Amino acid sequence: MPRTKSDEFSFVSPAVKYLLFFFNMIFWVIALILISIGVYSRIVKHETALACLTVDPALLLMIVGILMFFITFCGCVGSLRENICLLQTFCIVLTIIFLLQLVAGVLGFVFSDKAPGKVTEMVDSAIKHYRDDIDLQNLIDYGQKQFNCCGGISYLDWSQNIYFNCSKENPSRERCSVPFSCCLISKEETVINTMCGHGVQQLEYLAAGAFINTNGCIDKVVNWVHSNLFLLGGIALGLAIPQLVGILLSQILINQIQDQIKLQNYNKQHRSDPWS
């Protein structure tokens, strides 16, 4: 029997199909990179000293990477094979993640008054583990340099660390000191004096201000967040748009495939019973 125009016609748009495929392929590659970084971090650092954080960053990278890998795999194979089951899985999971992010954002806004207390606990824990891990040490030093701050609430928070503790019983050479990242460094200085914070905890607030940044990092970070709300909002929007695009494209492709199946069934029925 010769092919008719209805046999050649297809509701499935190649543009939508391959756009969704390449869209997922990009994030599939990103997922593999995240998994690789997470696995490498866990292998190199058998025991993470970032105990001050709620979740191990390496473990978090692996979880996010594996989840992205599963979702994008469903999107890639589902779009290429025009598989409704895989495309629906991709669409439903992506929608759930998007809604969970919205709920997390709303809860974060509603319970924002409790955030400073949690952040203070994390900073205090980070200060206590400062010398336990070089990565944590570099992270704290970078933050204190970037925000020109010292400690969580003030520079005296460094007394919580066993090496910088200011008690008379402390035998450490760094007793009553603070890390060099707290220091006021002049642009003219070519060599950084790593001992510039030695003994500053014994000084009064104004006297210590001549050598180090005395203000805590928590207030500095909060002020930075308040002054960069548009930037943070843009980042959140940038994370939401790809998810919405993926949901939209997958739903369009699902509808097109369903219409194509109906057309094929209609053609089969009329071939077998031309009088119907």
Side-chain angles (χ1 to χ4, degrees), residues 87-163:
L87 287 172
Q88 286 179 334
T89 301
F90 169 78
C91 186
I92 291 171
V93 173
L94 206 57
T95 302
I96 291 173
I97 291 174
F98 179 74
L99 292 176
L100 287 175
Q101 289 175 341
L102 283 180
V103 171
V106 172
L107 291 177
F109 178 78
V110 172
F111 297 103
S112 58
D113 56 324
K114 297 183 179 180
K118 183 63 177 177
V119 172
T120 301
E121 290 179 10
M122 292 176 61
V123 172
D124 289 344
S125 182
I127 288 174
K128 293 176 183 177
H129 293 89
Y130 177 75
R131 291 293 191 203
D132 297 346
D133 181 84
I134 188 64
D135 292 334
L136 176 62
Q137 184 174 319
N138 290 335
L139 179 64
I140 294 174
D141 286 337
Y142 174 80
Q144 292 192 146
K145 290 178 182 177
Q146 192 71 18
F147 291 99
N148 296 318
C149 57
C150 187
I153 305 301
S154 75
Y155 67 102
L156 296 176
D157 290 339
W158 281 103
S159 193
Q160 299 178 69
N161 185 279
I162 59 173
Y163 298 98

Coordinates of all heavy atoms in Angstrom, one line a residue, residues 87-163:
L87 N 10.4 10.8 29.8 CA 10.2 12.2 29.8 C 9.3 12.6 30.9 O 9.5 13.7 31.5 CB 9.5 12.6 28.4 CG 10.5 12.6 27.2 CD1 9.7 12.8 25.9 CD2 11.6 13.6 27.3
Q88 N 8.3 11.8 31.3 CA 7.5 12.2 32.4 C 8.2 12.1 33.7 O 8.0 12.9 34.6 CB 6.3 11.2 32.4 CG 5.2 11.5 31.4 CD 4.0 10.5 31.4 OE1 4.2 9.4 31.9 NE2 2.9 11.0 31.0
T89 N 9.1 11.1 33.8 CA 10.0 11.0 35.0 C 10.9 12.3 35.1 O 11.0 12.9 36.2 CB 10.9 9.8 34.9 OG1 10.1 8.6 34.8 CG2 11.8 9.7 36.2
F90 N 11.5 12.7 34.0 CA 12.3 13.9 34.0 C 11.5 15.1 34.4 O 11.9 15.9 35.2 CB 12.8 14.1 32.5 CG 13.5 15.4 32.3 CD1 14.8 15.7 32.8 CD2 12.8 16.4 31.6 CE1 15.4 16.9 32.5 CE2 13.4 17.6 31.4 CZ 14.7 17.9 31.8
C91 N 10.3 15.3 33.8 CA 9.4 16.4 34.1 C 9.0 16.5 35.5 O 9.0 17.5 36.2 CB 8.3 16.4 33.1 SG 7.2 17.9 33.2
I92 N 8.5 15.3 36.0 CA 8.0 15.3 37.4 C 9.1 15.5 38.4 O 8.9 16.3 39.4 CB 7.3 13.9 37.7 CG1 6.1 13.7 36.8 CG2 7.0 13.7 39.2 CD1 5.5 12.4 36.9
V93 N 10.2 14.9 38.3 CA 11.4 15.1 39.2 C 11.8 16.5 39.2 O 12.1 17.1 40.3 CB 12.5 14.1 38.9 CG1 13.7 14.4 39.8 CG2 12.1 12.7 39.1
L94 N 11.9 17.1 38.0 CA 12.4 18.5 37.9 C 11.4 19.4 38.5 O 11.8 20.4 39.2 CB 12.6 18.8 36.4 CG 13.6 20.0 36.1 CD1 15.0 19.6 36.7 CD2 13.7 20.2 34.6
T95 N 10.1 19.1 38.4 CA 9.1 20.0 39.0 C 9.1 19.9 40.5 O 9.0 20.9 41.2 CB 7.7 19.5 38.5 OG1 7.6 19.6 37.1 CG2 6.6 20.4 39.1
I96 N 9.3 18.7 41.0 CA 9.4 18.5 42.5 C 10.6 19.3 43.1 O 10.5 19.9 44.1 CB 9.5 17.0 42.8 CG1 8.2 16.2 42.5 CG2 9.9 16.8 44.3 CD1 8.3 14.7 42.7
I97 N 11.7 19.2 42.4 CA 12.9 19.9 42.8 C 12.7 21.4 42.8 O 13.0 22.1 43.8 CB 14.1 19.6 42.0 CG1 14.6 18.1 42.2 CG2 15.3 20.5 42.2 CD1 15.7 17.6 41.3
F98 N 12.0 21.9 41.8 CA 11.7 23.3 41.7 C 10.8 23.8 42.8 O 11.0 24.8 43.4 CB 11.1 23.6 40.3 CG 10.7 25.1 40.1 CD1 11.7 26.0 39.9 CD2 9.4 25.5 40.2 CE1 11.3 27.4 39.7 CE2 9.0 26.8 40.0 CZ 10.0 27.7 39.8
L99 N 9.8 23.0 43.1 CA 8.8 23.3 44.2 C 9.5 23.2 45.5 O 9.3 24.1 46.4 CB 7.6 22.3 44.1 CG 6.7 22.5 42.9 CD1 5.6 21.4 43.0 CD2 6.1 23.9 42.9
L100 N 10.4 22.3 45.7 CA 11.2 22.2 47.0 C 12.1 23.4 47.2 O 12.2 23.9 48.3 CB 12.0 20.9 47.0 CG 11.3 19.6 47.2 CD1 12.3 18.4 47.1 CD2 10.6 19.5 48.5
Q101 N 12.6 23.9 46.1 CA 13.5 25.1 46.2 C 12.6 26.3 46.6 O 13.0 27.2 47.4 CB 14.2 25.4 44.9 CG 15.3 24.4 44.6 CD 15.9 24.6 43.2 OE1 15.3 25.2 42.3 NE2 17.0 24.0 42.9
L102 N 11.4 26.4 46.0 CA 10.5 27.5 46.4 C 10.1 27.4 47.8 O 10.1 28.4 48.6 CB 9.2 27.4 45.5 CG 9.3 27.9 44.1 CD1 8.0 27.8 43.4 CD2 9.7 29.4 44.0
V103 N 9.8 26.2 48.3 CA 9.4 26.0 49.7 C 10.6 26.4 50.6 O 10.4 27.0 51.7 CB 9.0 24.5 50.0 CG1 8.8 24.3 51.5 CG2 7.7 24.2 49.2
A104 N 11.8 25.9 50.2 CA 13.0 26.3 51.0 C 13.2 27.8 51.1 O 13.6 28.3 52.1 CB 14.2 25.6 50.4
G105 N 13.0 28.5 50.0 CA 13.1 29.9 49.9 C 12.1 30.6 50.9 O 12.5 31.5 51.6
V106 N 10.9 30.1 50.8 CA 9.8 30.7 51.7 C 10.2 30.4 53.1 O 10.0 31.3 54.0 CB 8.5 30.1 51.3 CG1 7.4 30.6 52.3 CG2 8.1 30.6 49.9
L107 N 10.6 29.2 53.5 CA 10.9 28.9 54.9 C 12.1 29.7 55.4 O 12.1 30.1 56.5 CB 11.2 27.4 55.0 CG 10.0 26.4 54.8 CD1 10.4 25.0 54.9 CD2 8.9 26.7 55.9
G108 N 13.1 29.8 54.5 CA 14.2 30.6 54.8 C 13.9 32.1 55.1 O 14.4 32.7 56.0
F109 N 12.9 32.6 54.4 CA 12.4 34.0 54.6 C 11.6 34.1 55.9 O 11.8 35.0 56.7 CB 11.6 34.5 53.4 CG 11.0 35.8 53.6 CD1 11.8 37.0 53.4 CD2 9.7 36.0 54.0 CE1 11.3 38.2 53.6 CE2 9.2 37.3 54.2 CZ 10.0 38.4 54.0
V110 N 10.7 33.1 56.1 CA 9.9 33.1 57.3 C 10.7 32.9 58.6 O 10.5 33.6 59.6 CB 8.9 32.0 57.3 CG1 8.1 31.8 58.6 CG2 7.9 32.2 56.1
F111 N 11.7 32.0 58.6 CA 12.6 31.8 59.7 C 13.9 32.4 59.7 O 14.9 32.0 60.2 CB 12.8 30.2 59.9 CG 11.5 29.5 60.2 CD1 10.9 28.8 59.1 CD2 10.9 29.5 61.4 CE1 9.7 28.1 59.3 CE2 9.7 28.8 61.6 CZ 9.1 28.1 60.6
S112 N 14.0 33.6 59.0 CA 15.2 34.3 58.8 C 15.8 34.8 60.2 O 17.0 35.0 60.3 CB 15.0 35.5 57.9 OG 14.0 36.4 58.3
D113 N 14.9 35.0 61.2 CA 15.4 35.5 62.4 C 16.2 34.4 63.2 O 17.0 34.8 64.1 CB 14.2 35.9 63.3 CG 13.2 34.7 63.5 OD1 13.0 34.0 62.5 OD2 12.6 34.6 64.6
K114 N 16.0 33.1 62.8 CA 16.8 32.1 63.4 C 18.1 31.8 62.7 O 19.0 31.1 63.3 CB 16.0 30.8 63.5 CG 14.7 30.9 64.3 CD 14.0 29.6 64.4 CE 12.7 29.7 65.3 NZ 12.0 28.4 65.3
A115 N 18.3 32.4 61.6 CA 19.5 32.1 60.8 C 20.8 32.6 61.4 O 21.8 31.9 61.5 CB 19.4 32.7 59.4
P116 N 20.8 33.9 62.0 CA 22.0 34.3 62.6 C 22.5 33.4 63.7 O 23.8 33.2 63.9 CB 21.6 35.7 63.2 CG 20.5 36.2 62.4 CD 19.7 34.9 62.0
G117 N 21.6 32.8 64.5 CA 22.1 31.9 65.6 C 22.8 30.7 65.0 O 23.8 30.2 65.5
K118 N 22.2 30.1 63.9 CA 22.8 29.0 63.3 C 24.1 29.3 62.7 O 25.1 28.5 62.8 CB 21.8 28.4 62.2 CG 22.3 27.2 61.6 CD 22.4 26.0 62.5 CE 22.8 24.7 61.8 NZ 23.0 23.6 62.8
V119 N 24.2 30.5 62.0 CA 25.4 30.9 61.4 C 26.5 31.1 62.5 O 27.7 30.7 62.3 CB 25.2 32.2 60.6 CG1 26.6 32.8 60.1 CG2 24.3 31.9 59.4
T120 N 26.1 31.7 63.6 CA 27.1 31.9 64.7 C 27.7 30.6 65.2 O 28.9 30.5 65.4 CB 26.4 32.7 65.9 OG1 25.9 33.9 65.4 CG2 27.4 32.9 67.0
E121 N 26.8 29.6 65.3 CA 27.3 28.2 65.7 C 28.3 27.7 64.8 O 29.3 27.1 65.2 CB 26.1 27.3 65.9 CG 25.1 27.6 67.0 CD 24.0 26.7 67.1 OE1 24.0 25.6 66.3 OE2 23.0 26.9 67.9
M122 N 28.0 27.8 63.5 CA 28.9 27.3 62.4 C 30.2 28.0 62.4 O 31.3 27.4 62.3 CB 28.2 27.4 61.1 CG 27.0 26.5 60.9 SD 26.2 26.8 59.3 CE 27.5 26.3 58.1
V123 N 30.2 29.4 62.6 CA 31.4 30.1 62.6 C 32.3 29.8 63.9 O 33.5 29.6 63.8 CB 31.1 31.6 62.6 CG1 32.4 32.5 62.8 CG2 30.5 32.0 61.3
D124 N 31.6 29.7 65.0 CA 32.3 29.3 66.2 C 33.0 27.9 66.1 O 34.1 27.7 66.5 CB 31.4 29.3 67.4 CG 30.9 30.7 67.8 OD1 31.6 31.6 67.4 OD2 29.9 30.8 68.6
S125 N 32.3 27.0 65.5 CA 32.8 25.6 65.3 C 34.0 25.7 64.3 O 35.0 25.0 64.5 CB 31.7 24.7 64.7 OG 32.2 23.4 64.5
A126 N 33.9 26.6 63.3 CA 35.0 26.7 62.3 C 36.2 27.3 63.0 O 37.4 26.9 62.7 CB 34.5 27.6 61.2
I127 N 36.0 28.2 63.9 CA 37.1 28.8 64.6 C 37.8 27.8 65.5 O 39.1 27.7 65.5 CB 36.7 30.0 65.5 CG1 36.3 31.2 64.6 CG2 37.7 30.4 66.5 CD1 35.7 32.3 65.3
K128 N 37.1 26.9 66.1 CA 37.7 25.9 67.0 C 38.5 24.9 66.1 O 39.5 24.3 66.6 CB 36.5 25.1 67.7 CG 35.8 26.0 68.7 CD 34.7 25.2 69.4 CE 33.9 26.1 70.3 NZ 32.7 25.4 70.9
H129 N 38.1 24.6 64.9 CA 38.8 23.6 64.0 C 39.7 24.3 63.1 O 40.2 23.7 62.1 CB 37.7 22.8 63.2 CG 36.9 21.9 64.1 ND1 35.7 22.3 64.7 CD2 37.1 20.6 64.5 CE1 35.2 21.4 65.3 NE2 36.0 20.3 65.3
Y130 N 40.1 25.6 63.3 CA 40.9 26.3 62.4 C 42.2 25.6 62.0 O 42.6 25.6 60.8 CB 41.2 27.7 63.0 CG 42.1 28.6 62.1 CD1 41.6 29.2 61.0 CD2 43.4 28.8 62.5 CE1 42.4 30.1 60.2 CE2 44.2 29.7 61.7 CZ 43.7 30.3 60.6 OH 44.5 31.1 59.8
R131 N 42.9 25.1 63.0 CA 44.2 24.5 62.7 C 44.1 23.0 62.3 O 45.1 22.3 62.1 CB 45.1 24.6 64.0 CG 45.6 26.0 64.3 CD 46.5 26.5 63.3 NE 47.1 27.8 63.7 CZ 47.7 28.7 62.9 NH1 47.6 28.5 61.6 NH2 48.2 29.8 63.3
D132 N 42.9 22.5 62.3 CA 42.7 21.0 62.0 C 42.8 20.7 60.6 O 43.1 19.5 60.2 CB 41.4 20.5 62.6 CG 41.3 20.7 64.1 OD1 42.4 20.9 64.7 OD2 40.2 20.6 64.6
D133 N 42.6 21.6 59.7 CA 42.6 21.3 58.3 C 43.0 22.5 57.5 O 42.5 23.6 57.7 CB 41.1 20.9 57.9 CG 41.1 20.5 56.4 OD1 41.4 19.4 56.1 OD2 40.7 21.4 55.6
I134 N 43.9 22.3 56.5 CA 44.5 23.4 55.8 C 43.4 24.1 54.9 O 43.4 25.3 54.6 CB 45.7 23.0 54.9 CG1 46.4 24.1 54.3 CG2 45.3 21.9 53.9 CD1 47.0 25.1 55.2
D135 N 42.5 23.3 54.3 CA 41.4 23.8 53.5 C 40.5 24.7 54.3 O 40.1 25.8 53.8 CB 40.6 22.7 52.8 CG 41.4 21.9 51.8 OD1 42.4 22.5 51.3 OD2 41.2 20.8 51.5
L136 N 40.1 24.3 55.5 CA 39.3 25.1 56.3 C 40.0 26.4 56.7 O 39.5 27.5 56.7 CB 38.9 24.4 57.6 CG 38.1 25.1 58.6 CD1 36.7 25.6 58.1 CD2 37.8 24.3 59.9
Q137 N 41.3 26.3 57.0 CA 42.1 27.4 57.4 C 42.2 28.4 56.2 O 42.0 29.6 56.4 CB 43.5 27.0 57.7 CG 44.5 28.0 58.2 CD 45.8 27.5 58.7 OE1 45.8 26.4 59.3 NE2 46.9 28.1 58.3
N138 N 42.4 27.9 55.0 CA 42.4 28.8 53.8 C 41.1 29.5 53.6 O 41.0 30.7 53.2 CB 42.8 28.1 52.6 CG 44.3 27.6 52.7 OD1 45.1 28.3 53.3 ND2 44.6 26.6 52.0
L139 N 40.0 28.8 53.8 CA 38.6 29.3 53.6 C 38.4 30.4 54.6 O 37.8 31.5 54.2 CB 37.6 28.2 53.8 CG 36.1 28.6 53.7 CD1 35.8 29.1 52.3 CD2 35.2 27.4 54.0
I140 N 38.7 30.2 55.9 CA 38.5 31.3 56.9 C 39.4 32.5 56.6 O 38.9 33.6 56.7 CB 38.8 30.7 58.3 CG1 37.8 29.6 58.7 CG2 38.8 31.8 59.3 CD1 38.1 28.9 60.0
D141 N 40.6 32.2 56.2 CA 41.6 33.3 55.9 C 41.1 34.2 54.7 O 41.1 35.4 54.8 CB 43.0 32.8 55.7 CG 43.7 32.3 56.9 OD1 43.3 32.8 58.0 OD2 44.6 31.5 56.8
Y142 N 40.6 33.5 53.7 CA 40.0 34.2 52.6 C 38.8 35.0 52.9 O 38.7 36.2 52.5 CB 39.6 33.1 51.5 CG 38.9 33.8 50.3 CD1 39.7 34.4 49.3 CD2 37.5 33.8 50.2 CE1 39.0 35.0 48.2 CE2 36.9 34.4 49.1 CZ 37.6 35.0 48.1 OH 37.0 35.6 47.1
G143 N 37.9 34.5 53.8 CA 36.7 35.2 54.2 C 37.1 36.4 55.0 O 36.5 37.5 54.8
Q144 N 38.1 36.3 55.9 CA 38.4 37.4 56.8 C 39.1 38.5 55.9 O 39.0 39.7 56.2 CB 39.3 36.9 57.9 CG 38.6 36.1 58.9 CD 39.4 35.8 60.2 OE1 38.8 35.7 61.3 NE2 40.7 35.7 60.1
K145 N 39.9 38.1 54.9 CA 40.6 39.1 54.1 C 39.6 39.8 53.2 O 39.6 41.0 53.0 CB 41.7 38.4 53.2 CG 42.9 38.0 54.0 CD 43.9 37.3 53.0 CE 45.1 36.7 53.8 NZ 46.0 36.0 52.9
Q146 N 38.6 39.0 52.6 CA 37.7 39.5 51.7 C 36.7 40.5 52.3 O 36.4 41.6 51.7 CB 36.9 38.4 51.1 CG 36.0 38.7 49.8 CD 36.9 39.0 48.6 OE1 38.0 38.6 48.6 NE2 36.3 39.7 47.6
F147 N 36.3 40.3 53.6 CA 35.3 41.1 54.2 C 36.0 42.0 55.3 O 35.3 42.8 56.0 CB 34.3 40.3 54.9 CG 33.3 39.6 53.9 CD1 33.5 38.2 53.6 CD2 32.3 40.3 53.3 CE1 32.7 37.6 52.7 CE2 31.5 39.6 52.4 CZ 31.7 38.3 52.1
N148 N 37.3 42.0 55.4 CA 38.0 42.9 56.3 C 37.4 42.7 57.7 O 37.0 43.7 58.4 CB 38.0 44.3 55.9 CG 38.7 44.6 54.6 OD1 39.8 44.0 54.3 ND2 38.1 45.4 53.7
C149 N 37.4 41.5 58.2 CA 36.8 41.2 59.5 C 37.7 40.2 60.3 O 38.7 39.7 59.8 CB 35.4 40.6 59.3 SG 35.3 39.1 58.3
C150 N 37.2 39.9 61.5 CA 38.0 39.0 62.3 C 37.1 38.3 63.3 O 36.4 39.0 64.1 CB 39.1 39.8 63.1 SG 40.3 38.7 64.0
G151 N 37.0 37.0 63.3 CA 36.2 36.2 64.1 C 34.7 36.3 63.7 O 34.4 36.8 62.6
G152 N 33.8 35.8 64.6 CA 32.4 35.8 64.2 C 31.7 37.1 64.6 O 31.3 37.8 63.8
I153 N 31.7 37.3 66.0 CA 31.1 38.6 66.5 C 32.2 39.7 66.6 O 32.0 40.8 66.3 CB 30.5 38.4 67.8 CG1 29.4 37.2 67.7 CG2 29.8 39.6 68.3 CD1 28.3 37.5 66.8
S154 N 33.4 39.2 67.1 CA 34.5 40.1 67.2 C 35.8 39.3 67.2 O 35.8 38.1 67.2 CB 34.4 41.0 68.5 OG 34.8 40.2 69.6
Y155 N 36.9 40.0 67.2 CA 38.2 39.4 67.2 C 38.5 38.5 68.5 O 39.3 37.6 68.4 CB 39.4 40.4 67.1 CG 39.5 41.3 68.3 CD1 40.6 41.1 69.2 CD2 38.7 42.4 68.5 CE1 40.7 41.9 70.3 CE2 38.8 43.2 69.6 CZ 39.9 43.0 70.5 OH 40.0 43.8 71.6
L156 N 37.7 38.8 69.5 CA 37.9 38.0 70.8 C 37.4 36.6 70.6 O 37.6 35.7 71.5 CB 37.2 38.7 71.9 CG 37.8 40.1 72.3 CD1 37.0 40.7 73.4 CD2 39.2 39.9 72.8
D157 N 36.6 36.3 69.6 CA 36.1 34.9 69.4 C 37.2 33.9 69.1 O 37.0 32.7 69.3 CB 35.1 34.9 68.1 CG 33.8 35.6 68.4 OD1 33.5 35.8 69.6 OD2 33.2 36.0 67.4
W158 N 38.4 34.4 68.7 CA 39.5 33.5 68.4 C 40.0 32.9 69.7 O 40.8 31.9 69.7 CB 40.6 34.2 67.7 CG 40.3 34.3 66.2 CD1 39.8 35.4 65.6 CD2 40.3 33.3 65.3 NE1 39.6 35.1 64.3 CE2 39.9 33.8 64.1 CE3 40.7 31.9 65.4 CZ2 39.8 33.0 62.9 CZ3 40.6 31.1 64.2 CH2 40.2 31.7 63.0
S159 N 39.6 33.3 70.9 CA 40.0 32.7 72.1 C 39.4 31.3 72.3 O 39.8 30.6 73.2 CB 39.6 33.6 73.3 OG 40.3 33.2 74.5
Q160 N 38.4 31.0 71.4 CA 37.7 29.7 71.5 C 38.6 28.6 70.9 O 38.4 27.4 71.1 CB 36.4 29.7 70.7 CG 35.4 30.7 71.3 CD 34.1 30.7 70.4 OE1 33.4 29.7 70.4 NE2 33.9 31.8 69.7
N161 N 39.6 29.0 70.1 CA 40.6 28.1 69.5 C 41.7 27.8 70.6 O 42.2 28.7 71.2 CB 41.2 28.7 68.3 CG 42.1 27.7 67.5 OD1 43.2 27.5 67.9 ND2 41.6 27.1 66.5
I162 N 42.0 26.5 70.7 CA 43.0 26.1 71.7 C 44.3 26.7 71.5 O 45.1 26.9 72.5 CB 43.1 24.6 71.8 CG1 43.6 24.0 70.4 CG2 41.8 23.9 72.2 CD1 43.9 22.5 70.4
Y163 N 44.7 27.1 70.3 CA 46.0 27.7 70.0 C 46.0 29.2 70.3 O 47.0 29.7 70.8 CB 46.4 27.4 68.6 CG 46.6 26.0 68.2 CD1 45.6 25.3 67.6 CD2 47.7 25.3 68.6 CE1 45.7 24.0 67.2 CE2 47.9 23.9 68.2 CZ 46.9 23.3 67.6 OH 47.0 22.0 67.2

